[in-house]
Amino acid sequence: AVMTGFSTESPRALVIEGAALKHMLGDPELEELIFSIASKCEAVIACRVSPRQKALLVKLVRHHVVPEPVTLAIGDGANDVGMIQEA
């Protein structure tokens, strides 16, 4: 079937869950793969992630994105402190 009105240039988003991140973070090859996918997206949403995973995600963005970006992390609780400090 052919989809009409579909464009390969449509905005994309990546939604990734903490359970999936647990298997990816720490493996350089998988980290590179996820950032390759994420870099083609308008937005990346990480849900149900631990405070440590939040901070690590910010750190990895700063490492993998060239030139090094200015990062912003917004949180609503004490469990977000590590992520905000990393940003």
Side-chain angles (χ1 to χ4, degrees):
V2 175
M3 295 175 57
T4 58
F6 178 77
S7 166
T8 57
E9 298 303 316
S10 296
R12 295 174 187 89
L14 172 65
V15 179
I16 191 158
E17 202 172 59
L21 282 174
K22 184 170 77 172
H23 299 290
M24 298 176 142
L25 297 177
D27 181 327
E29 203 171 303
L30 291 176
E31 288 175 0
E32 190 174 324
L33 175 65
I34 196 73
F35 277 92
S36 174
I37 295 167
S39 67
K40 293 176 177 34
C41 297
E42 297 292 319
V44 177
I45 300 167
C47 56
R48 305 185 84 55
V49 295
S50 71
R52 183 176 178 274
Q53 287 174 316
K54 291 175 185 180
L56 191 52
L57 279 173
V58 173
K59 184 176 184 177
L60 288 171
V61 166
R62 295 183 73 151
H63 173 74
H64 284 283
V65 177
V66 177
E68 184 177 325
V70 173
T71 55
L72 170 68
I74 300 172
D76 64 355
N79 64 332
D80 296 315
V81 171
M83 170 188 65
I84 294 167
Q85 287 176 331
E86 187 64 47

Coordinates of all heavy atoms in Angstrom, one line a residue:
A1 N 0.8 -1.2 0.0 CA 0.0 0.0 0.0 C 0.9 1.2 0.0 O 1.9 1.3 0.7 CB -0.9 0.0 1.2
V2 N 0.5 2.2 -0.7 CA 1.2 3.5 -0.8 C 0.5 4.5 0.1 O -0.7 4.7 0.1 CB 1.3 4.0 -2.2 CG1 1.9 5.4 -2.3 CG2 2.0 3.1 -3.1
M3 N 1.3 5.2 1.0 CA 0.8 6.2 1.9 C 0.8 7.5 1.2 O 1.8 8.0 0.7 CB 1.6 6.2 3.2 CG 1.5 5.0 4.0 SD 2.5 5.0 5.4 CE 2.0 6.4 6.3
T4 N -0.3 8.1 1.1 CA -0.4 9.5 0.4 C -0.2 10.5 1.5 O -0.6 10.3 2.7 CB -1.7 9.7 -0.3 OG1 -2.8 9.5 0.6 CG2 -1.9 8.7 -1.5
G5 N 0.4 11.6 1.1 CA 0.6 12.7 2.1 C 1.8 12.4 3.0 O 2.1 13.2 3.9
F6 N 2.5 11.3 2.9 CA 3.6 11.0 3.8 C 4.9 11.5 3.1 O 5.2 11.4 2.0 CB 3.7 9.5 3.9 CG 4.9 9.1 4.8 CD1 4.8 9.2 6.2 CD2 6.1 8.6 4.2 CE1 5.9 8.8 7.0 CE2 7.1 8.2 5.0 CZ 7.0 8.3 6.4
S7 N 5.7 12.2 4.0 CA 6.9 12.8 3.5 C 8.1 12.2 4.3 O 7.9 12.1 5.5 CB 6.9 14.3 3.6 OG 8.2 14.8 3.5
T8 N 9.2 11.9 3.7 CA 10.3 11.4 4.5 C 10.9 12.6 5.3 O 11.8 12.4 6.1 CB 11.4 10.8 3.5 OG1 11.8 11.8 2.6 CG2 10.9 9.6 2.8
E9 N 10.5 13.8 5.0 CA 11.0 15.0 5.7 C 10.0 15.4 6.9 O 10.2 16.4 7.4 CB 11.2 16.1 4.8 CG 12.2 15.9 3.7 CD 13.6 15.5 4.2 OE1 14.0 16.2 5.2 OE2 14.2 14.6 3.7
S10 N 9.1 14.5 7.2 CA 8.2 14.8 8.3 C 9.0 14.9 9.6 O 9.9 14.1 9.8 CB 7.1 13.7 8.4 OG 6.3 13.7 7.3
P11 N 8.5 15.7 10.6 CA 9.2 15.7 11.9 C 9.1 14.4 12.5 O 8.1 13.7 12.4 CB 8.4 16.8 12.7 CG 7.7 17.6 11.6 CD 7.4 16.7 10.5
R12 N 10.2 14.0 13.2 CA 10.2 12.7 13.9 C 10.5 13.0 15.4 O 11.2 14.0 15.8 CB 11.4 11.9 13.3 CG 11.1 11.5 11.9 CD 12.4 10.7 11.4 NE 12.3 10.5 10.0 CZ 12.7 11.3 9.0 NH1 13.2 12.4 9.3 NH2 12.6 11.0 7.8
A13 N 10.1 12.0 16.2 CA 10.5 12.0 17.6 C 10.9 10.6 18.0 O 10.4 9.6 17.4 CB 9.3 12.5 18.4
L14 N 11.7 10.5 19.0 CA 12.1 9.3 19.6 C 11.6 9.2 21.0 O 11.9 10.2 21.8 CB 13.7 9.1 19.5 CG 14.3 7.9 20.3 CD1 13.8 6.6 19.6 CD2 15.8 8.0 20.3
V15 N 10.9 8.2 21.4 CA 10.5 8.0 22.8 C 11.2 6.7 23.2 O 11.1 5.6 22.6 CB 9.0 7.8 22.9 CG1 8.6 7.5 24.3 CG2 8.3 9.0 22.3
I16 N 12.0 6.8 24.3 CA 12.7 5.7 24.8 C 12.5 5.6 26.3 O 12.4 6.6 27.0 CB 14.2 5.8 24.5 CG1 14.9 4.5 24.8 CG2 14.9 7.0 25.2 CD1 16.2 4.3 24.0
E17 N 12.3 4.3 26.8 CA 12.0 4.1 28.1 C 13.3 3.7 28.9 O 14.2 3.2 28.4 CB 11.0 2.9 28.2 CG 10.2 2.8 29.4 CD 9.1 1.7 29.3 OE1 9.5 0.6 29.0 OE2 7.9 2.1 29.4
G18 N 13.2 3.9 30.2 CA 14.4 3.6 31.1 C 14.8 2.2 31.0 O 16.0 1.9 31.0
A19 N 13.9 1.2 30.8 CA 14.3 -0.2 30.8 C 15.1 -0.4 29.5 O 16.1 -1.2 29.5 CB 13.0 -1.0 30.7
A20 N 14.8 0.2 28.4 CA 15.6 0.1 27.2 C 17.0 0.8 27.3 O 18.0 0.2 26.9 CB 14.9 0.7 26.0
L21 N 17.0 1.9 28.0 CA 18.2 2.6 28.2 C 19.2 1.8 29.1 O 20.4 1.9 28.8 CB 18.0 4.0 28.9 CG 17.5 5.1 28.0 CD1 17.1 6.3 28.8 CD2 18.5 5.4 26.9
K22 N 18.7 1.1 30.0 CA 19.5 0.2 30.9 C 20.4 -0.7 30.1 O 21.5 -1.0 30.4 CB 18.6 -0.5 31.9 CG 19.4 -1.3 32.9 CD 18.4 -1.9 33.9 CE 17.7 -3.1 33.4 NZ 16.9 -3.8 34.5
H23 N 19.8 -1.2 29.0 CA 20.6 -2.1 28.1 C 21.5 -1.4 27.2 O 22.5 -2.0 26.7 CB 19.6 -3.0 27.3 CG 18.7 -3.9 28.2 ND1 19.2 -4.9 29.0 CD2 17.4 -3.8 28.5 CE1 18.3 -5.4 29.7 NE2 17.1 -4.8 29.4
M24 N 21.3 -0.2 26.9 CA 22.0 0.6 25.9 C 23.2 1.4 26.5 O 24.3 1.4 25.9 CB 21.1 1.5 25.1 CG 20.1 0.8 24.3 SD 19.0 1.9 23.5 CE 18.7 1.1 22.0
L25 N 22.9 2.1 27.6 CA 23.9 2.9 28.2 C 25.1 2.1 28.7 O 24.8 1.1 29.4 CB 23.3 3.8 29.3 CG 22.2 4.8 28.8 CD1 21.6 5.5 30.0 CD2 22.7 5.7 27.7
G26 N 26.3 2.5 28.4 CA 27.4 1.8 28.8 C 28.0 0.9 27.7 O 29.2 0.5 27.8
D27 N 27.3 0.7 26.6 CA 27.8 0.0 25.5 C 28.0 1.0 24.4 O 27.1 1.6 23.8 CB 26.7 -1.0 25.0 CG 27.1 -1.8 23.8 OD1 27.9 -1.3 22.9 OD2 26.7 -3.0 23.7
P28 N 29.3 1.3 24.1 CA 29.6 2.4 23.2 C 29.0 2.3 21.8 O 28.5 3.2 21.2 CB 31.2 2.4 23.1 CG 31.6 1.7 24.3 CD 30.5 0.7 24.7
E29 N 28.9 1.0 21.3 CA 28.3 0.8 20.0 C 26.8 1.2 20.0 O 26.3 1.8 19.1 CB 28.5 -0.6 19.6 CG 28.4 -0.9 18.1 CD 28.8 -2.3 17.7 OE1 30.0 -2.7 18.1 OE2 28.0 -3.0 17.1
L30 N 26.1 0.7 21.1 CA 24.6 1.0 21.2 C 24.4 2.5 21.5 O 23.4 3.1 21.0 CB 24.0 0.1 22.2 CG 23.9 -1.3 21.9 CD1 23.3 -2.1 23.1 CD2 23.1 -1.6 20.6
E31 N 25.3 3.1 22.3 CA 25.2 4.6 22.5 C 25.3 5.3 21.2 O 24.5 6.3 21.0 CB 26.2 5.0 23.5 CG 26.0 4.6 24.9 CD 27.1 5.0 25.9 OE1 28.1 5.6 25.4 OE2 27.0 4.6 27.1
E32 N 26.2 5.0 20.4 CA 26.4 5.6 19.1 C 25.2 5.4 18.2 O 24.7 6.4 17.5 CB 27.7 5.1 18.4 CG 28.1 5.9 17.2 CD 29.4 5.5 16.6 OE1 30.3 5.1 17.4 OE2 29.5 5.5 15.4
L33 N 24.6 4.2 18.2 CA 23.4 3.9 17.4 C 22.3 4.8 17.9 O 21.6 5.4 17.0 CB 23.1 2.5 17.5 CG 21.8 2.0 16.8 CD1 21.9 2.2 15.3 CD2 21.5 0.6 17.2
I34 N 22.0 4.9 19.2 CA 20.9 5.6 19.6 C 21.1 7.1 19.4 O 20.1 7.8 19.0 CB 20.6 5.4 21.2 CG1 19.2 5.8 21.5 CG2 21.6 6.0 22.1 CD1 18.1 5.0 21.1
F35 N 22.3 7.6 19.4 CA 22.5 9.0 19.1 C 22.4 9.3 17.6 O 22.1 10.4 17.2 CB 23.8 9.5 19.7 CG 23.6 9.9 21.2 CD1 23.8 9.0 22.2 CD2 23.1 11.2 21.5 CE1 23.5 9.3 23.5 CE2 22.8 11.5 22.8 CZ 23.1 10.6 23.8
S36 N 22.7 8.3 16.8 CA 22.6 8.5 15.4 C 21.1 8.6 15.1 O 20.7 9.5 14.2 CB 23.2 7.3 14.7 OG 22.9 7.3 13.3
I37 N 20.3 7.8 15.7 CA 18.8 7.9 15.5 C 18.3 9.2 16.1 O 17.5 9.9 15.4 CB 18.1 6.7 16.1 CG1 18.5 5.4 15.4 CG2 16.6 6.9 16.1 CD1 18.1 4.1 16.1
A38 N 18.7 9.5 17.3 CA 18.2 10.7 18.0 C 18.5 12.0 17.2 O 17.8 13.0 17.2 CB 18.7 10.8 19.4
S39 N 19.7 12.0 16.6 CA 20.1 13.2 15.9 C 19.3 13.5 14.6 O 19.3 14.6 14.1 CB 21.6 13.1 15.5 OG 21.7 12.1 14.5
K40 N 18.5 12.6 14.2 CA 17.6 12.8 13.1 C 16.2 13.2 13.5 O 15.3 13.3 12.7 CB 17.6 11.5 12.2 CG 18.9 11.3 11.5 CD 18.9 10.0 10.8 CE 20.2 9.7 10.0 NZ 21.4 10.1 10.6
C41 N 16.0 13.3 14.8 CA 14.7 13.6 15.4 C 14.6 15.1 15.9 O 15.6 15.7 16.3 CB 14.4 12.7 16.6 SG 14.3 11.0 16.1
E42 N 13.4 15.6 15.8 CA 13.1 16.9 16.3 C 13.1 16.9 17.9 O 13.4 17.9 18.5 CB 11.8 17.5 15.8 CG 11.7 17.6 14.3 CD 12.6 18.7 13.8 OE1 12.7 19.8 14.5 OE2 13.3 18.5 12.8
A43 N 12.7 15.8 18.4 CA 12.6 15.7 19.9 C 12.9 14.3 20.3 O 12.7 13.3 19.6 CB 11.1 16.0 20.3
V44 N 13.5 14.2 21.5 CA 13.8 12.9 22.1 C 13.1 13.0 23.5 O 13.4 13.9 24.3 CB 15.3 12.6 22.2 CG1 15.5 11.3 23.0 CG2 15.9 12.6 20.8
I45 N 12.3 12.0 23.8 CA 11.6 11.9 25.1 C 12.0 10.7 25.8 O 11.9 9.6 25.3 CB 10.1 11.9 24.9 CG1 9.7 13.2 24.2 CG2 9.4 11.8 26.2 CD1 8.2 13.2 23.7
A46 N 12.6 10.8 27.0 CA 13.0 9.7 27.8 C 12.0 9.6 29.0 O 11.8 10.6 29.7 CB 14.4 9.8 28.3
C47 N 11.3 8.5 29.1 CA 10.3 8.3 30.1 C 10.7 7.2 31.1 O 11.4 6.2 30.7 CB 8.9 8.2 29.6 SG 8.8 6.8 28.4
R48 N 10.3 7.3 32.3 CA 10.5 6.3 33.3 C 12.0 6.0 33.4 O 12.4 4.8 33.4 CB 9.7 5.1 33.0 CG 8.2 5.4 32.9 CD 7.3 4.3 32.8 NE 6.8 3.6 33.9 CZ 6.1 4.1 35.0 NH1 6.0 5.3 35.1 NH2 5.7 3.3 35.9
V49 N 12.8 7.0 33.5 CA 14.2 6.9 33.7 C 14.7 7.2 35.1 O 14.0 8.0 35.8 CB 15.0 7.7 32.7 CG1 14.7 7.3 31.2 CG2 14.7 9.2 32.8
S50 N 15.8 6.6 35.5 CA 16.3 6.8 36.9 C 17.0 8.2 36.9 O 17.4 8.7 35.8 CB 17.2 5.7 37.3 OG 18.4 5.8 36.5
P51 N 17.2 8.7 38.1 CA 18.0 10.0 38.2 C 19.4 9.8 37.5 O 19.9 10.7 36.9 CB 18.1 10.2 39.7 CG 16.9 9.6 40.2 CD 16.6 8.4 39.4
R52 N 20.0 8.7 37.7 CA 21.4 8.4 37.2 C 21.3 8.4 35.6 O 22.2 9.0 34.9 CB 21.9 7.1 37.7 CG 23.3 6.8 37.2 CD 23.8 5.5 37.8 NE 25.2 5.2 37.3 CZ 25.4 4.6 36.2 NH1 24.4 4.1 35.5 NH2 26.6 4.3 35.8
Q53 N 20.2 7.8 35.1 CA 20.1 7.7 33.6 C 19.9 9.1 33.0 O 20.4 9.5 32.0 CB 18.9 6.8 33.2 CG 19.2 5.4 33.4 CD 18.0 4.5 33.1 OE1 16.9 4.8 33.6 NE2 18.2 3.4 32.4
K54 N 19.1 10.0 33.8 CA 18.9 11.3 33.3 C 20.2 12.1 33.2 O 20.5 12.7 32.2 CB 18.0 12.1 34.3 CG 16.6 11.6 34.3 CD 15.8 12.3 35.4 CE 14.4 11.8 35.6 NZ 13.6 12.5 36.6
A55 N 21.0 12.0 34.2 CA 22.3 12.7 34.2 C 23.2 12.1 33.1 O 23.9 12.9 32.4 CB 23.0 12.6 35.5
L56 N 23.2 10.8 32.9 CA 24.0 10.2 31.9 C 23.6 10.6 30.5 O 24.4 10.8 29.6 CB 24.0 8.7 32.1 CG 25.0 7.9 31.3 CD1 26.4 8.4 31.5 CD2 25.0 6.4 31.7
L57 N 22.3 10.7 30.3 CA 21.8 11.1 29.0 C 22.3 12.5 28.6 O 22.8 12.7 27.5 CB 20.3 11.1 28.9 CG 19.6 9.8 28.7 CD1 18.1 9.9 28.9 CD2 20.0 9.2 27.3
V58 N 22.3 13.4 29.6 CA 22.8 14.8 29.3 C 24.3 14.7 29.0 O 24.7 15.4 28.0 CB 22.5 15.7 30.5 CG1 23.1 17.1 30.3 CG2 21.0 15.9 30.7
K59 N 25.0 14.0 29.8 CA 26.4 13.9 29.5 C 26.7 13.3 28.2 O 27.6 13.8 27.5 CB 27.0 13.0 30.6 CG 28.5 12.9 30.6 CD 29.1 12.1 31.8 CE 30.6 12.0 31.8 NZ 31.0 11.3 33.0
L60 N 26.0 12.3 27.8 CA 26.2 11.6 26.5 C 25.9 12.6 25.3 O 26.5 12.6 24.3 CB 25.4 10.3 26.4 CG 25.9 9.2 27.2 CD1 25.0 8.0 27.2 CD2 27.3 8.8 26.7
V61 N 24.8 13.4 25.5 CA 24.5 14.4 24.4 C 25.7 15.3 24.3 O 26.1 15.6 23.1 CB 23.2 15.1 24.8 CG1 23.0 16.4 23.9 CG2 22.0 14.2 24.7
R62 N 26.2 15.8 25.4 CA 27.3 16.7 25.3 C 28.6 16.1 24.6 O 29.4 16.7 24.0 CB 27.7 17.2 26.7 CG 26.5 18.1 27.2 CD 26.8 18.7 28.5 NE 27.8 19.7 28.3 CZ 27.9 20.8 29.0 NH1 27.2 20.9 30.0 NH2 28.8 21.7 28.7
H63 N 28.7 14.7 24.8 CA 29.9 14.0 24.3 C 29.7 13.7 22.8 O 30.6 13.8 22.0 CB 30.1 12.7 25.0 CG 31.1 11.8 24.4 ND1 32.5 12.1 24.6 CD2 31.0 10.7 23.7 CE1 33.2 11.2 23.9 NE2 32.3 10.3 23.4
H64 N 28.5 13.3 22.4 CA 28.3 12.8 21.0 C 27.9 13.9 20.0 O 28.1 13.7 18.8 CB 27.2 11.8 21.0 CG 27.6 10.4 21.5 ND1 28.4 9.6 20.7 CD2 27.5 9.8 22.7 CE1 28.7 8.5 21.4 NE2 28.1 8.6 22.6
V65 N 27.4 15.0 20.5 CA 27.0 16.1 19.5 C 28.1 17.0 19.3 O 28.7 17.5 20.3 CB 25.7 16.8 20.1 CG1 25.3 17.9 19.2 CG2 24.6 15.8 20.2
V66 N 28.4 17.3 18.0 CA 29.5 18.2 17.7 C 28.9 19.3 16.8 O 28.2 19.0 15.8 CB 30.6 17.4 16.9 CG1 31.7 18.4 16.4 CG2 31.2 16.3 17.8
P67 N 29.2 20.6 17.0 CA 30.0 21.0 18.2 C 29.2 20.8 19.5 O 28.0 20.7 19.5 CB 30.2 22.5 17.9 CG 29.1 22.9 17.0 CD 28.7 21.7 16.2
E68 N 30.0 20.8 20.6 CA 29.3 20.5 21.9 C 28.2 21.5 22.1 O 28.4 22.7 22.1 CB 30.3 20.6 23.0 CG 29.7 20.3 24.4 CD 30.7 20.3 25.5 OE1 31.9 19.9 25.3 OE2 30.3 20.7 26.6
P69 N 27.0 21.0 22.4 CA 25.9 21.9 22.5 C 25.7 22.5 23.9 O 26.3 22.0 24.8 CB 24.7 21.0 22.3 CG 25.1 19.7 22.8 CD 26.6 19.6 22.5
V70 N 25.0 23.6 24.0 CA 24.5 24.1 25.2 C 23.3 23.2 25.6 O 22.4 23.1 24.8 CB 24.1 25.6 25.1 CG1 23.5 26.1 26.4 CG2 25.3 26.4 24.7
T71 N 23.3 22.7 26.8 CA 22.2 21.8 27.2 C 21.4 22.4 28.3 O 21.9 23.2 29.1 CB 22.7 20.4 27.6 OG1 23.7 20.6 28.7 CG2 23.4 19.7 26.5
L72 N 20.1 22.1 28.3 CA 19.2 22.6 29.3 C 18.5 21.4 29.8 O 18.0 20.6 29.0 CB 18.2 23.6 28.7 CG 17.1 24.0 29.6 CD1 17.5 24.8 30.8 CD2 16.0 24.8 28.8
A73 N 18.4 21.2 31.1 CA 17.6 20.2 31.7 C 16.6 20.8 32.7 O 17.0 21.7 33.5 CB 18.5 19.2 32.5
I74 N 15.4 20.4 32.6 CA 14.3 20.9 33.5 C 13.8 19.7 34.3 O 13.4 18.7 33.7 CB 13.2 21.6 32.6 CG1 13.8 22.7 31.8 CG2 12.1 22.0 33.5 CD1 12.9 23.3 30.8
G75 N 13.7 19.9 35.5 CA 13.1 18.9 36.4 C 12.1 19.5 37.4 O 12.1 20.7 37.6
D76 N 11.3 18.6 38.0 CA 10.3 19.0 38.9 C 10.5 18.4 40.3 O 9.6 18.5 41.1 CB 8.9 18.7 38.4 CG 8.7 17.2 38.2 OD1 9.6 16.4 38.4 OD2 7.5 16.9 37.9
G77 N 11.7 17.8 40.6 CA 11.8 17.2 41.9 C 13.3 17.0 42.2 O 14.2 17.2 41.4
A78 N 13.5 16.6 43.5 CA 14.9 16.4 43.9 C 15.6 15.3 43.2 O 16.8 15.4 43.0 CB 14.8 16.0 45.4
N79 N 14.9 14.4 42.6 CA 15.5 13.3 41.8 C 16.1 13.9 40.5 O 16.8 13.1 39.8 CB 14.6 12.2 41.5 CG 13.4 12.6 40.7 OD1 13.0 13.7 40.7 ND2 12.9 11.6 39.9
D80 N 15.9 15.1 40.1 CA 16.4 15.7 38.9 C 17.6 16.5 39.1 O 18.2 17.0 38.1 CB 15.3 16.6 38.3 CG 14.1 15.8 37.9 OD1 14.2 14.7 37.3 OD2 12.9 16.2 38.1
V81 N 18.1 16.6 40.3 CA 19.3 17.4 40.6 C 20.5 17.0 39.8 O 21.2 17.9 39.2 CB 19.6 17.5 42.1 CG1 20.9 18.1 42.4 CG2 18.4 18.1 42.9
G82 N 20.8 15.7 39.8 CA 22.0 15.3 39.0 C 21.9 15.6 37.6 O 22.9 16.1 37.0
M83 N 20.8 15.5 37.0 CA 20.6 15.8 35.5 C 20.8 17.3 35.3 O 21.5 17.7 34.4 CB 19.2 15.4 35.1 CG 18.8 15.9 33.8 SD 17.0 15.7 33.4 CE 16.2 16.7 34.6
I84 N 20.2 18.1 36.2 CA 20.4 19.6 36.1 C 21.8 20.0 36.2 O 22.3 20.9 35.5 CB 19.4 20.3 37.0 CG1 18.0 20.0 36.6 CG2 19.7 21.8 37.1 CD1 16.9 20.3 37.7
Q85 N 22.5 19.4 37.2 CA 23.9 19.8 37.4 C 24.8 19.4 36.2 O 25.7 20.1 35.9 CB 24.4 19.1 38.7 CG 23.9 19.8 40.0 CD 24.3 19.0 41.2 OE1 24.6 17.8 41.2 NE2 24.4 19.8 42.3
E86 N 24.5 18.3 35.6 CA 25.2 17.8 34.5 C 25.0 18.8 33.3 O 26.0 19.0 32.5 CB 24.8 16.4 34.1 CG 25.7 15.8 33.0 CD 27.1 15.6 33.4 OE1 27.4 15.1 34.5 OE2 28.0 16.0 32.6
A87 N 23.8 19.3 33.1 CA 23.5 20.2 32.0 C 24.3 21.5 32.3 O 24.7 22.2 31.4 CB 22.0 20.4 31.9

